[in-house]
Amino acid sequence: AAPLGARIEAMHRMLDALVLGTREPAYMNGCGQMPVDLILAIGAQSGTRAPGSGVMGGYGILADGTGKLVADGGLVPPLEFSAQTHAGALGFEFSSGATLVVGNCGPAPGQLPESRNLFRHSSAHSAPTLDDVSSAHVGGRWFLADRMRPSGPAPQINHIEAENALELHSAAYRGRFGLDMVRRLTLMGAGHTLVGQDRFVAAGGGRVREEMFNIRFHLAPGAAPERAGSEDMVRIVYKNGEVWAFLWEGAEAEIEESVRHSAHFGLLRTRQIVLTGKAR
């Protein structure tokens, strides 16, 4: 009984780490919305809580004040366990209090099986891509077509405690483009400020293909982004009246359509901010 109890406590701790301030688990690797009362009921079965910021099970967690961020380090499980996984390397979800600020698209709706792998693609996550290629191989014409296979060596993820920051390093594009991706995320100001930096690093000793990058930020349902004239700023008004500002440098930005699927609420139209530029 003791080993089983320890395992259950570890599961409670992991669930607590992956639940945002919205009381929803982060939409990663096939996770859709579960009723909030169910999450609260499960959490009430144990007093175990995640320690706050850190690295757990291939995910990076940042907590500060009312802000919480969960980032996917990009670890792909063994083939037999990868049928539900998503290619969300370096993607993240971020909440401030009960407001979902940035998220992912979630799993494909059951009534759209032909779109299943589109929702698993990296572009359905708040993550960087090169040439809109997925960070992991999703599907394929062979007998395990629903499985996901890694591209490149295992990723690295580090928590810098002194700065409340995460550094995620993905080699998923090394073989195809000669570039690694390094994303640094810092949460500060009691959770009211999130600072990110994406770098493309020459790696592998081969020729570097200078392709276009896309860095996507999928906004919450009901969020209304507005471009502030010619300035490098997008003003985002959320359903509860909160206003956030998105600022960037080193890329061009566009506001595009997106979706978010919840097993509880259904398929909802949303918007996304997309940064583009040449990866060098």
Side-chain angles (χ1 to χ4, degrees):
L4 177 60
R7 182 61 59 89
I8 292 173
E9 287 300 298
M11 293 169 68
H12 276 285
R13 192 177 300 110
M14 191 71 211
L15 178 62
D16 187 64
L18 295 179
V19 170
L20 300 173
T22 60
R23 304 313 303 169
E24 294 179 273
Y27 280 33
M28 292 172 174
N29 293 312
C31 178
Q33 205 271 352
M34 288 185 282
V36 171
D37 55 355
L38 177 60
I39 297 295
L40 293 174
I42 295 172
Q45 300 303 310
S46 170
T48 301
R49 293 292 177 262
S53 299
V55 177
M56 295 186 70
Y59 294 95
I61 318 295
L62 291 178
D64 185 25
T66 60
K68 187 168 184 182
L69 176 143
V70 179
D72 187 343
L75 186 66
V76 178
L79 196 64
E80 60 269 29
F81 301 112
S82 68
Q84 304 296 327
T85 52
H86 286 208
L90 311 194
F92 70 95
E93 292 210 319
F94 168 52
S95 69
S96 179
T99 300
L100 177 67
V101 182
V102 174
N104 299 313
C105 293
Q111 67 271 27
L112 296 174
E114 69 281 2
S115 298
R116 184 167 178 264
N117 284 345
L118 292 178
F119 281 77
R120 300 173 72 193
H121 194 279
S122 298
S123 59
H125 300 77
S126 293
T129 60
L130 288 173
D131 199 27
D132 251 344
V133 172
S134 199
S135 60
H137 300 287
V138 179
R141 300 187 55 150
W142 61 312
F143 74 101
L144 289 176
D146 62 341
R147 300 301 196 263
M148 193 171 79
R149 299 171 302 287
S151 175
Q156 303 169 26
I157 178 169
N158 296 299
H159 173 230
I160 301 98
E161 184 176 359
E163 302 175 30
N164 199 35
L166 294 170
E167 187 163 280
L168 304 96
H169 187 147
S170 173
Y173 295 94
R174 181 183 297 180
R176 293 171 284 182
F177 298 97
L179 291 169
D180 285 3
M181 288 185 175
V182 180
R183 165 165 279 188
R184 190 181 182 92
L185 300 165
T186 306
L187 186 60
M188 60 183 74
H192 297 140
T193 301
L194 175 64
V195 178
Q197 180 188 54
D198 291 319
R199 293 187 290 126
F200 304 95
V201 182
R207 184 175 66 88
V208 173
R209 290 174 55 189
E210 293 189 349
E211 299 290 345
M212 297 298 293
F213 66 78
N214 288 306
I215 304 171
R216 299 178 183 274
F217 302 88
H218 297 274
L219 304 178
E226 296 180 355
R227 187 73 177 266
S230 60
E231 297 180 18
D232 288 346
M233 186 181 80
V234 174
R235 183 174 180 268
I236 310 167
V237 181
Y238 288 82
K239 290 174 67 175
N240 61 2
E242 283 189 17
V243 180
W244 285 71
F246 178 85
L247 302 96
W248 70 94
E249 60 182 22
E252 300 296 322
E254 297 291 340
I255 299 172
E256 299 181 1
E257 299 295 319
S258 183
V259 296
R260 184 170 171 90
H261 176 245
S262 160
H264 192 55
F265 293 117
L267 187 65
L268 302 173
R269 289 182 177 272
T270 61
R271 310 295 293 280
Q272 62 175 313
I273 300 170
V274 185
L275 302 184
T276 60
K278 179 78 83 170
R280 293 189 174 91

PDB file of all heavy atoms in Angstrom, residues 14 22 74 164 182 205 269:
ATOM      1  N   MET A  14       1.659  16.354  -9.586  1.00  0.00           N
ATOM      2  CA  MET A  14       1.824  16.674 -10.993  1.00  0.00           C
ATOM      3  C   MET A  14       0.587  17.377 -11.539  1.00  0.00           C
ATOM      4  O   MET A  14       0.686  18.357 -12.291  1.00  0.00           O
ATOM      5  CB  MET A  14       2.092  15.389 -11.785  1.00  0.00           C
ATOM      6  CG  MET A  14       2.528  15.628 -13.212  1.00  0.00           C
ATOM      7  SD  MET A  14       4.205  16.304 -13.293  1.00  0.00           S
ATOM      8  CE  MET A  14       4.086  17.296 -14.765  1.00  0.00           C
ATOM      9  N   THR A  22      -6.899  29.394 -13.943  1.00  0.00           N
ATOM     10  CA  THR A  22      -8.271  29.230 -14.421  1.00  0.00           C
ATOM     11  C   THR A  22      -8.918  27.973 -13.855  1.00  0.00           C
ATOM     12  O   THR A  22     -10.091  27.729 -14.092  1.00  0.00           O
ATOM     13  CB  THR A  22      -8.274  29.128 -15.952  1.00  0.00           C
ATOM     14  OG1 THR A  22      -7.476  27.996 -16.341  1.00  0.00           O
ATOM     15  CG2 THR A  22      -7.692  30.378 -16.592  1.00  0.00           C
ATOM     16  N   GLY A  74       9.061  19.609 -24.850  1.00  0.00           N
ATOM     17  CA  GLY A  74       9.180  18.956 -26.146  1.00  0.00           C
ATOM     18  C   GLY A  74       9.614  17.508 -26.096  1.00  0.00           C
ATOM     19  O   GLY A  74       9.971  16.929 -27.120  1.00  0.00           O
ATOM     20  N   ASN A 164      13.522  33.463 -11.756  1.00  0.00           N
ATOM     21  CA  ASN A 164      12.211  32.866 -12.024  1.00  0.00           C
ATOM     22  C   ASN A 164      12.002  32.717 -13.525  1.00  0.00           C
ATOM     23  O   ASN A 164      11.022  33.201 -14.094  1.00  0.00           O
ATOM     24  CB  ASN A 164      11.068  33.682 -11.406  1.00  0.00           C
ATOM     25  CG  ASN A 164       9.790  32.856 -11.274  1.00  0.00           C
ATOM     26  OD1 ASN A 164       9.832  31.660 -11.019  1.00  0.00           O
ATOM     27  ND2 ASN A 164       8.650  33.497 -11.455  1.00  0.00           N
ATOM     28  N   VAL A 182      16.143  27.951 -28.928  1.00  0.00           N
ATOM     29  CA  VAL A 182      16.273  28.178 -27.489  1.00  0.00           C
ATOM     30  C   VAL A 182      15.248  29.244 -27.096  1.00  0.00           C
ATOM     31  O   VAL A 182      15.272  30.362 -27.621  1.00  0.00           O
ATOM     32  CB  VAL A 182      17.695  28.642 -27.104  1.00  0.00           C
ATOM     33  CG1 VAL A 182      17.777  28.867 -25.598  1.00  0.00           C
ATOM     34  CG2 VAL A 182      18.734  27.622 -27.555  1.00  0.00           C
ATOM     35  N   GLY A 205      26.843  21.223 -37.343  1.00  0.00           N
ATOM     36  CA  GLY A 205      27.982  21.278 -38.244  1.00  0.00           C
ATOM     37  C   GLY A 205      27.630  21.257 -39.717  1.00  0.00           C
ATOM     38  O   GLY A 205      28.516  21.312 -40.572  1.00  0.00           O
ATOM     39  N   ARG A 269     -14.154  29.889 -31.845  1.00  0.00           N
ATOM     40  CA  ARG A 269     -13.283  30.724 -32.666  1.00  0.00           C
ATOM     41  C   ARG A 269     -12.485  31.666 -31.774  1.00  0.00           C
ATOM     42  O   ARG A 269     -13.024  32.240 -30.822  1.00  0.00           O
ATOM     43  CB  ARG A 269     -14.103  31.556 -33.660  1.00  0.00           C
ATOM     44  CG  ARG A 269     -14.725  30.735 -34.781  1.00  0.00           C
ATOM     45  CD  ARG A 269     -15.476  31.653 -35.737  1.00  0.00           C
ATOM     46  NE  ARG A 269     -16.030  30.918 -36.851  1.00  0.00           N
ATOM     47  CZ  ARG A 269     -15.387  30.661 -37.984  1.00  0.00           C
ATOM     48  NH1 ARG A 269     -14.142  31.099 -38.140  1.00  0.00           N
ATOM     49  NH2 ARG A 269     -15.969  29.991 -38.959  1.00  0.00           N
TER      50      ARG A 269
END
